[in-house]
């Protein structure tokens, strides 16, 4: 993560986060034995690839076996058309 992240819980990947940054943060969090579940909150910016982040979250859940709860902010603007 960039040096300016919050260094705590919640893990803030920052507004310019790429799919790869989301993937890395999810993988690291889910690999922690003290983590039972993960909540992924996406607040889309112009460059946010919400559909790819959703796919990455689904893949992370499948590979970890831990629950992932997702919250996508933005309503209709983040739904596929």
């Amino acid at each position: 993560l960039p040096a300016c992240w919050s260094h705590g819980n919640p893990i803030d990947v920052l507004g310019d986060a790429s799919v790869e940054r989301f993937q890395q943060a999810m993988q690291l969090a889910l690999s922690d034995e003290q983590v039972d579940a993960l909540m992924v909150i996406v607040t889309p910016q112009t460059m946010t690839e919400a559909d790819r982040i959703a796919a990455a979250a689904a893949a992370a859940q499948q590979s970890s076996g831990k629950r992932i709860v997702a919250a996508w902010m933005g309503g209709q603007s983040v739904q596929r058309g």
Side-chain angles (χ1 to χ4, degrees):
L1 295 171
C4 57
W5 81 287
S6 64
H7 294 88
N9 185 6
I11 300 169
D12 185 354
V13 296
L14 304 175
D16 67 343
S18 64
V19 174
E20 292 76 22
R21 192 182 304 162
F22 269 94
Q23 288 172 316
Q24 182 181 31
M26 288 185 286
Q27 181 182 38
L28 289 170
L30 291 167
S31 68
D32 188 322
E33 292 179 10
Q34 295 184 32
V35 172
D36 296 319
L38 182 67
M39 180 171 207
V40 178
I41 302 172
V42 178
T43 57
Q45 309 299 310
T46 302
M47 74 292 282
T48 304
E49 297 180 79
D51 56 339
R52 289 190 59 216
I53 295 168
Q61 190 281 320
Q62 289 293 320
S63 65
S64 73
K66 295 182 180 181
R67 285 196 192 271
I68 294 182
V69 176
W72 261 238
M73 306 303 225
Q76 297 287 333
S77 67
V78 294
Q79 291 182 0
R80 285 190 181 182

